[in-house]
Amino acid sequence: MTELTPYERAVNTIFNEKVDELAAYPIACGVLRKLLPGTVTYREWASDPEVCARAFVEGYNTYRFPFTVALVDLSLTASDLGAHVRMDTENTPFVDKPVINDLEDYERIQAPDVHQGRVGKMLKMNEILARELREKSFTISFLEGPLLTLSQSAGAERLFMDMYDDPSAVHRALSEITTMCVDGANAVGETGMQALCWDYLWANYSCLGDSEYAEFEADKYAKACNEATVKAGLGFGIHNCADLPHLDTQIRKFKPQVYSLAYYPLVPDSLSAAEVIDRGYADDCAVFGNIDPQLFVRGTREQIAQATASVTQEVKTALCRRGLNSHFGIASGCEVPPDFETKLENIQAVMDTVHEHGRFQ
């Protein structure tokens, strides 16, 4: 088959068309600041839309990523709701002071203007990225879903207790946050980005069963976000790096075009790449996974190359068995760790290994 450009490979993967080789995209985000001249701190990267966009562009220029997922961190929406975010020089920003400290605080949540605050900065970064990577890399924006946003704003332990003790207060906050998320989807649709990936992290059986997840996100709140994404003209993606995701809900019911997941070999019932394909989850959705993210920090180039070659062969065999052309991409199960200990040569090793072992006749 004629060699495809990275962008063509991405599009063909989404639509299950034939590809020259499997699409590979280690979910490299904050770590890409290391490619910029000088010493760019994590705080600078996460705070400046132009610096953030430049790092993603340089990531494409260096590695020729078919996809670019514009994840900053998981505290953007909570920050704009009033939670205090700790911005260390070299650590991923995180909420250290929740905005919800009692039941009355749920009632006080108000959807902010998404064009302001940290989400507003993300939108500006998206505009730059969409322009610079147009038809080079398939660009995917990234937002936290309603329940993840609320857990970041209240703390997961408090939220899960309040879901049972006073669900009406939680629903009131989720409704307002969903308004924010829908506004965010509409705004992303105006940036030129091609898709939007939602992080619906709590759809996993380690935390919530089907009925709880349906009540507190899937049936109403995620449904509104998903519909807004499609209405905004965006491709629709989901990322869930939890150990036992609700695949029937998030793939078969939500019907995303792209789904990113992780594999936990020590967790019973965690599905490998081959099992995901064999059970039909990749039939109508391009699935991405599932290299251990810690290998980018702790592994040698040889170790990560071996792991990549193994999952690549596993995927090719399963796709052939299922009669699929390309509906699976090789990716890390979650973000490549963005700290300075991460080895950039291991990112290159993944791309090189898939180029060697992921080719189709």
Side-chain angles (χ1 to χ4, degrees), residues 285-359:
C285 173
V287 179
F288 285 78
N290 42 17
I291 299 168
D292 181 0
Q294 288 302 315
L295 277 175
F296 292 89
V297 179
R298 301 173 182 171
T300 64
R301 195 183 197 284
E302 291 71 25
Q303 287 172 326
I304 200 165
Q306 182 177 15
T308 303
S310 177
V311 72
T312 297
Q313 187 57 54
E314 175 189 350
V315 165
K316 287 176 63 179
T317 301
L319 288 174
C320 181
R321 188 164 57 235
R322 192 71 184 178
L324 297 172
N325 290 317
S326 60
H327 244 175
F328 202 103
I330 305 302
S332 51
C334 196
E335 181 188 5
V336 171
D339 58 67
F340 259 87
E341 298 300 316
T342 295
K343 304 166 185 174
L344 292 181
E345 60 266 27
N346 284 353
I347 297 175
Q348 187 65 60
V350 170
M351 303 305 292
D352 291 343
T353 302
V354 176
H355 182 67
E356 179 182 357
H357 294 277
R359 297 192 68 80

Side-chain angles (χ1 to χ4, degrees), residues 243-259:
D243 49 4
L244 296 171
H246 291 200
L247 293 180
D248 286 337
T249 295
Q250 292 195 315
I251 292 183
R252 293 197 166 121
K253 182 177 180 179
F254 288 175
K255 300 186 187 306
Q257 292 165 298
V258 176
Y259 190 89

Side-chain angles (χ1 to χ4, degrees), residues 227-281:
E227 290 175 350
T229 302
V230 175
K231 189 175 180 179
L234 294 161
F236 166 35
I238 295 174
H239 173 70
N240 190 339
C241 59
D243 49 4
L244 296 171
H246 291 200
L247 293 180
D248 286 337
T249 295
Q250 292 195 315
I251 292 183
R252 293 197 166 121
K253 182 177 180 179
F254 288 175
K255 300 186 187 306
Q257 292 165 298
V258 176
Y259 190 89
S260 168
L261 82 170
Y263 172 50
Y264 297 85
L266 299 181
V267 176
D269 299 324
S270 181
L271 299 184
S272 66
E275 289 170 324
V276 169
I277 295 168
D278 289 340
R279 297 189 187 189
Y281 292 111

Side-chain angles (χ1 to χ4, degrees), residues 28-39:
C29 303
V31 71
L32 297 177
R33 74 192 186 281
K34 295 170 66 175
L35 298 173
L36 298 176
T39 302

